[in-house]
Amino acid sequence: MTTNDAVTTNDAVTTNDAVTTNDAVTRSGAAATIDTSRPPVRPVKTAAAAKPNLILGEHSLCPGCGEPVALRILLEVLQDLDIVQRTIGVVGHGCYGSFVRIMDVDVLQCLHGRAPACATGIKRVRPGVAVFTLQGDGDMANEGLQEVLHAAARGENITCVMLNNGVFGDTGGQQTATTVLGQRTKTSIDGRDPETHGYPIPVADLVAGLDGVGYVARGAVSTAGAVLQTKRMIRKAFETQLNRGGFSLVEILTMCPTGWFVPTAEGPDYQQGTMEQRYKLGELV
């Protein structure tokens, strides 16, 4: 088994203070070096699968976009709660519409703004499944504000997620109902002016004031800490639904440097200095 020059073994062997495991070891006095002239003989270990494994491909969104981060933590929550096989998602229109192609979850795409209404129908027909909507601020606040408000007022046992970047990203970066004062967009080049454009609509705050609501929170993906906190919010929202606690909503502030006219790397800082000043992060209900 041993020679004066090398030791090869399938088990750990200690020889002159050298320990080897399934590899050839060359000893030179008290020193030991691993023979790298050939591959190791020990079985190759497979790294643990990265979570979530529900993402089937690459997204097509712009560099610096915060929406893929929000999607990842949403899917991680579904896996953590072990409800993937009994979950149905409903998405509207916007940049995130491309997620339908890469999410390994049952998903329905509906008309602009109508996701809460579709989710209501699904939940009433299939009360045993977890139902969520994934919408942008243009989709939820501009096109379908009435849908989310009425679903919340009815206490529908569904979970809505709004990705809020303050622009219509899919159509070129126009102003939305959530664009903050002073924020530049394709239709507010000099910044949103309340006399011309009115004031932004805080969707989460409106929903939080309605009866029938079980959980409302606002998170962000601008920092690692914010991502972790937002994931906890999403989990609480789904737990509220699973416990039949009523309507739940998580608004997630996401970066859109392309629509904001800022360099990609400056997206998180810009978000913290503008949107997060207007829309305070935390749990509202």
Side-chain angles (χ1 to χ4, degrees):
M1 182 179 70
T2 63
T3 69
N4 292 329
D5 297 318
V7 176
T8 304
T9 176
N10 291 326
D11 299 311
V13 176
T14 304
T15 310
N16 288 348
D17 299 326
V19 178
T20 70
T21 308
N22 299 333
D23 293 327
V25 175
T26 301
R27 291 183 291 106
S28 177
T33 58
I34 297 177
D35 180 9
T36 59
S37 64
R38 59 183 179 81
V41 297
R42 57 188 171 189
V44 176
K45 293 183 179 180
T46 302
K51 291 176 61 180
N53 55 17
L54 302 176
I55 297 179
L56 303 177
E58 297 292 330
H59 66 79
S60 58
L61 302 187
C62 304
C65 178
E67 294 187 355
V69 180
L71 173 67
R72 174 169 289 276
I73 58 177
L74 169 62
L75 296 178
E76 285 178 352
V77 168
L78 298 183
Q79 286 190 305
D80 292 344
L81 293 174
D82 194 23
I83 57 174
V84 175
Q85 299 304 318
R86 58 187 185 98
T87 295
I88 299 176
V90 184
V91 303
H93 289 265
C95 296
Y96 49 85
S98 62
F99 291 156
V100 173
R101 298 181 289 104
I102 64 172
M103 295 169 58
D104 193 12
V105 177
D106 288 334
V107 180
L108 168 70
Q109 187 164 20
C110 66
L111 293 174
H112 218 161
R114 305 301 181 255
C118 290
T120 296
I122 294 171
K123 187 69 175 186
R124 293 193 178 194
V125 174
R126 299 283 304 278
V129 303
V131 182
F132 72 91
T133 73
L134 185 62
Q135 303 171 258
D137 49 300
D139 186 80
M140 181 180 285
N142 284 68
E143 304 288 345
L145 184 59
Q146 73 281 5
E147 301 290 351
V148 69
L149 291 180
H150 284 288
R154 293 193 305 267
E156 301 292 348
N157 199 43
I158 59 176
T159 298
C160 291
V161 178
M162 183 177 81
L163 307 181
N164 183 6
N165 55 24
V167 294
F168 277 106
D170 191 44
T171 55
Q174 297 88 351
Q175 175 183 288
T176 71
T178 68
T179 302
V180 299
L181 297 182
Q183 184 178 339
R184 298 181 64 206
T185 71
K186 294 290 180 62
T187 49
S188 59
I189 296 298
D190 295 325
R192 181 169 188 164
D193 177 10
E195 292 186 4
T196 303
H197 309 110
Y199 291 88
I201 298 176
V203 176
D205 300 83
L206 293 180
V207 171
L210 299 174
D211 294 332
V213 171
Y215 182 79
V216 179
R218 181 183 292 117
V221 292
S222 53
T223 67
V227 170
L228 180 60
Q229 184 61 40
T230 301
K231 181 178 178 180
R232 293 177 181 147
M233 293 174 178
I234 296 174
R235 181 183 180 111
K236 286 186 178 181
F238 274 99
E239 288 175 339
T240 298
Q241 180 181 168
L242 296 174
N243 294 328
R244 301 181 183 278
F247 182 87
S248 55
L249 169 75
V250 179
E251 177 182 339
I252 305 176
L253 305 184
T254 60
M255 293 81 72
C256 182
T258 301
W260 295 343
F261 305 101
V262 300
T264 299
E266 297 179 14
D269 290 338
Y270 179 85
Q271 177 177 293
Q272 293 175 63
T274 55
M275 297 189 70
E276 292 182 26
Q277 297 303 308
R278 173 61 179 86
Y279 301 117
K280 298 302 182 182
L281 308 183
E283 296 179 321
L284 287 81
V285 174

